[in-house]
Every structure is written in C-alpha cells, then in structure tokens.
Amino acid sequence: MKKLTSYILLLLAPLALTGCWLDDDDDKDVVTVTVFHTSADAPAVNVRLGDEVVVTNADFKQSASTRVSGTRNLFVDARLPDGQTLEVLGPATIMADAENVDAYDVFAIGQVGNDTLEALVISDDLERMDADSVRLRVAHLASAAPAVDVYVTAPDADLAAASPTLTFSYKTVTDALEVPAGDYRVRVTAAGQSDVLFDSGTVPLASGADLLIAAVDNTNHGDAPISLLVESEGTTTELVDADAGAGLRAVHNAYDAPAVDIYLGGITGAPAIAGLSFPDAAPGPDLGDYASVAAGTTDVAITATGDTNAVVQGSFELGNGMAYTVLAANALADIELLPFTDDARSVATEARLRVIHGAGQAPNVDVYLTAQGSGGIGNASPVLSDVPFGASSCFLAVAEGDYDVYVTVAGTGTVAIGPIPVTLSNGGVYTAIAREASDFGSSGSFTVTGLDDLASPSAP
C-alpha cells in the first residue's frame, strides 16, 4: 500500500495540488478534488476554479467534489451575510499530471474566531488489496478535541480487553486500512485514557466501501466533544454519539392559559417541568438551556399546574443529538404544541437570527430589520414575508449591528409589533418568538419573547 501524503497550508498561503487521472485514456490528466467544510464557526463557502464557481453554498459538515483537468487555481470564498464573498483559502494550483495520485481531499479546518483557519490537503492513490473489503481512512479534524485513541471493534467487544486501532492527534489523517465488511463499533477515548468520549453504536460497513471518516467538533446536543463525518462516493453523513440523547426546551406561549405542568411519557409521577407560567421558557431561555431526554418517540402532555387532565398533548420523534424548542401556543381554547428544531452553532462572521410566528391571534406577518432609531420601516423590504402562524424562518445570516425589529400585517405595512431594539453580534444565535402581550385580552397588542442570545425577561 502506497503511503498517503499530507501537508498543512496556512490561510491565504499558496497551495499546490498535483495529481493525475486513472489509467483511462478518455480521462487522462484529470484529477478529482473533494472539498470538505469542517470548520465549526465558519460560514458557508463557495469553491472557485479561477473565476468559475464550481461549488455554491457549502456549509459546515458538507462536502463537494469536482473534476479538474489541466492547470487551474482553486479558491475557497466565505459567504458573508450582506451577499458579498471573501476569499479565505487559496490559490491552490491544481496540476493534473502527478503519478500515483488519483484524488485529493481538501479540508477547511480550525476556527475563524481564533484565527486558526487553514487548509489540510491529503492525496490518495485509491489502491486497495481486496475489492470486497472496506477501505477506511480516518482524520482528526476536531480542533477542540485532544489526541485520541480510536477503537474499531465488533459491536459487543469489551473495550477493556481491546487495544486501540489507531492513536492520533489533531490534523492527522491515517493511511488507508482495510477491514472485512460487517457490523462495527467505533469508540474514542483521550489518548491513554479509558473513559469513552464518543461511541458510534453499531455501524454496518458494506462490502467494497471506500470511506473517509473525519472527527469534527461537535455542534449537536450532547456531551461528546466530536461527531464523525463519513464520506463515501461524494455523499457525507454524520454519526452522532449513540448516548447523546435529545435536548428539549418548552415555552409557555398561550397568553390566556394558567401556569402549566409538562409531562413526558404519560401523566404519571412528577412532571418533568412544573409551574411554567406565560411567557416563560423551561429549563430556561438562554442558549443551551435544555433538558436532556431519551431520543426516539416521546409523548408530551401539558396540564394546568397541579391537575392531571391534559390540556394538550402530542407525540414527537426526537432525533439523537438534536435539540428542540416546543411552544404551547394559541389561545387556551385552541392551544396546540408547535415543535421547532434548534441549531446552536455559532458563526464568527455573522449573527444568526430565527423568527417564529407564535401568535395565534395574529394574521400572516412580514418581518423587518431596520437601522436602530430610523423611525419606521420606510421603504425597507421585509427580511421575511407572509409568515403564517406556526412557521419558523430557520436561522438567517444577518450582519452584526443595532436594529429595530418590526412585525407588520402581511402586505400592508401596518405595524403589529415594534419597534423592538436589538443588538446582534457576530457569533450570536438569536430567536425571537412573536406572541400576544400579557394584557392581550384588554389591549389586543402583540410583542416578542427572546430566546438564546436574545433572551430578555423585560418584554410584557
């Protein structure tokens, strides 16, 4: 087996890739280049060959491949929230004429926030000893994780009786190894330690597979410092720690409902959350305030505090490693549960803002962000249009700054909420939930509940 070659190239340093195509006369002088986005706090990127954009909007944990002939310069451009792009890696001069190299993997690693972003480039000859085996390469790309021991074993193997399959540190990519097809389990410990930091559970590996497995910084729910990206034939999937569980946060968003108790898995025993009042969140409104619950199908029931009769209930499928915010929303007579998937990943070059329409008594709305103190929406265009009750914007990339938030009746410019002054900072994660005001019964007015980095107890 020929050795894989690897080298580190610093941000903005010249990068030279050399490669040649397989022994196929029709594809002579062609190299495959796969670019992986593995920097947890970096924005989405474009990949260019000269002035030609060949990959658009690749986000963290995504990869994309392109075929290159001749000599070309490769660049990676960060996508900024104002629509502009900024060249952050390159130029990489690709010359498709080197021997014994059939593919290159280019990883964007490190962190933007501490100025350690760089490129790790790996060449591969694609050779294998057995066509029916599983060919593996393993990469440590998690900048926040220590040097590790990796155990690749049968699913039921006793770790205490096993020896590490691999021991390596950040920026290391192993040579290829081949194992028989079958079911395996990947467990990771800090080098020389016995406590398991990551456990994949049972993973089936198919005959003939050629896999690149990369450890990246964990941005999911759970205590594991890493998750694993598995790339095969241009498709990347993620393995989350088998014991991660799910994160759950509840928000009382029903303006005329009393304080409530929340039960998980049936109304028996003590409630998971007791005495939650409008418009509070539990376990809390701040970023990372979640109760850890088992992944899988979960029954949620809400009762008036001290009662055992459900006011509303529902069944939700909670993904392992995922986090959720569930609203009890609308008027009491029509109360319903609205689940939303959360994403707490911080991006160093942008603020991330999510707006949820949780006001059941309001029509569809438009949402505006204007310069703070500008005195109204003027001729501004909405950042969100015609949003119905129960809908979420997901997380939008927003330039940092001081803004006024206005929520208007869709298509009319009639202000229903605002101005609400907010300061959005790069790296921040913000959630704004439109709701009825506490005195809605008499005033008919609406306001906003802030969660995550927008958590604000002062809204009425």
Side-chain angles (χ1 to χ4, degrees):
M1 180 67 62
K2 295 183 178 70
K3 294 290 185 181
L4 298 175
T5 59
S6 64
Y7 50 95
I8 299 295
L9 297 165
L10 296 177
L11 177 65
L12 298 179
L15 177 67
L17 304 181
T18 59
C20 72
W21 182 228
L22 299 172
D23 294 333
D24 184 334
D25 291 340
D26 293 333
D27 293 315
K28 189 175 181 180
D29 297 333
V30 177
V31 65
T32 299
V33 180
T34 303
V35 180
F36 295 80
H37 188 328
T38 59
S39 174
D41 73 339
V45 300
N46 295 342
V47 179
R48 284 184 291 119
L49 290 174
D51 293 330
E52 177 189 4
V53 178
V54 293
V55 177
T56 303
N57 203 30
D59 212 342
F60 178 51
K61 301 179 185 176
Q62 294 180 344
S63 65
S65 297
T66 187
R67 306 279 287 161
V68 181
S69 61
T71 299
R72 306 287 297 275
N73 285 331
L74 182 146
F75 302 85
V76 177
D77 297 331
R79 295 169 61 95
L80 303 179
D82 62 0
Q84 302 297 308
T85 60
L86 175 66
E87 181 185 312
V88 292
L89 294 174
T93 302
I94 300 173
M95 297 174 291
D97 59 3
E99 295 182 359
N100 302 320
V101 177
D102 295 322
Y104 283 95
D105 300 309
V106 181
F107 303 96
I109 64 172
Q111 297 183 24
V112 176
N114 61 14
D115 200 26
T116 59
L117 184 68
E118 56 185 320
L120 173 64
V121 182
I122 305 298
S123 64
D124 189 7
D125 58 19
L126 300 180
E127 282 195 0
R128 61 189 310 151
M129 305 297 293
D130 183 352
D132 294 325
S133 69
V134 179
R135 184 177 186 268
L136 301 173
R137 292 176 297 146
V138 184
H140 186 333
L141 308 179
S143 61
V148 295
D149 291 334
V150 180
Y151 298 80
V152 182
T153 68
D156 58 353
D158 182 0
L159 197 64
S163 297
T165 308
L166 305 164
T167 298
F168 64 154
S169 57
Y170 177 53
K171 301 183 186 180
T172 302
V173 181
T174 69
D175 290 340
L177 60 93
E178 295 183 46
V179 299
D183 289 342
Y184 289 87
R185 184 178 179 186
V186 180
R187 283 169 283 186
V188 178
T189 70
Q193 304 297 312
S194 59
D195 292 339
V196 175
L197 302 178
F198 175 90
D199 185 345
S200 70
T202 300
V203 179
L205 300 182
S207 174
D210 192 339
L211 307 177
L212 175 62
I213 301 176
V216 298
D217 292 321
N218 183 31
T219 57
N220 303 295
H221 179 77
D223 296 329
I226 63 170
S227 63
L228 298 183
L229 302 184
V230 181
E231 189 273 336
S232 175
E233 298 182 348
T235 299
T236 301
T237 57
E238 183 177 19
L239 293 178
V240 177
D241 179 55
D243 298 322
L248 193 63
R249 172 173 60 184
V251 178
H252 190 323
N253 214 57
Y255 72 97
D256 63 345
V260 298
D261 295 339
I262 300 175
Y263 291 84
L264 302 178
I267 304 176
T268 59
I273 298 170
L276 179 62
S277 299
F278 176 77
D280 294 341
D286 295 321
L287 197 65
D289 280 343
Y290 295 102
S292 291
V293 299
T297 302
T298 299
D299 294 326
V300 178
I302 294 181
T303 73
T305 295
D307 198 352
T308 56
N309 295 308
V311 176
V312 62
Q313 54 191 332
S315 182
F316 303 103
E317 188 65 28
L318 304 181
N320 191 48
M322 303 294 289
Y324 303 89
T325 294
V326 178
L327 272 59
N330 216 334
L332 179 60
D334 300 305
I335 193 170
E336 54 189 298
L337 296 177
L338 304 176
F340 300 93
T341 301
D342 295 347
D343 180 2
R345 184 171 75 94
S346 172
V347 177
T349 57
E350 65 194 37
R352 302 179 67 230
L353 173 66
R354 173 177 59 169
V355 178
I356 296 173
H357 187 339
Q361 307 308 301
N364 290 12
V365 299
D366 298 334
V367 180
Y368 293 81
L369 287 179
T370 65
Q372 201 166 102
S374 59
I377 62 174
N379 294 322
S381 297
V383 294
L384 297 169
S385 299
D386 202 23
V387 181
F389 169 65
S392 167
S393 68
C394 298
F395 287 92
L396 307 172
V398 180
E400 70 175 355
D402 296 325
Y403 296 94
D404 285 331
V405 179
Y406 290 91
V407 179
T408 70
V409 177
T412 70
T414 301
V415 175
I417 302 173
I420 296 177
V422 297
T423 296
L424 306 180
S425 301
N426 286 345
V429 180
Y430 306 90
T431 295
I433 302 173
R435 62 169 173 84
E436 291 81 9
S438 299
D439 62 351
F440 178 81
S442 58
S443 70
S445 60
F446 299 89
T447 187
V448 166
T449 292
L451 298 181
D452 304 322
D453 288 329
L454 199 64
S456 171
S458 61

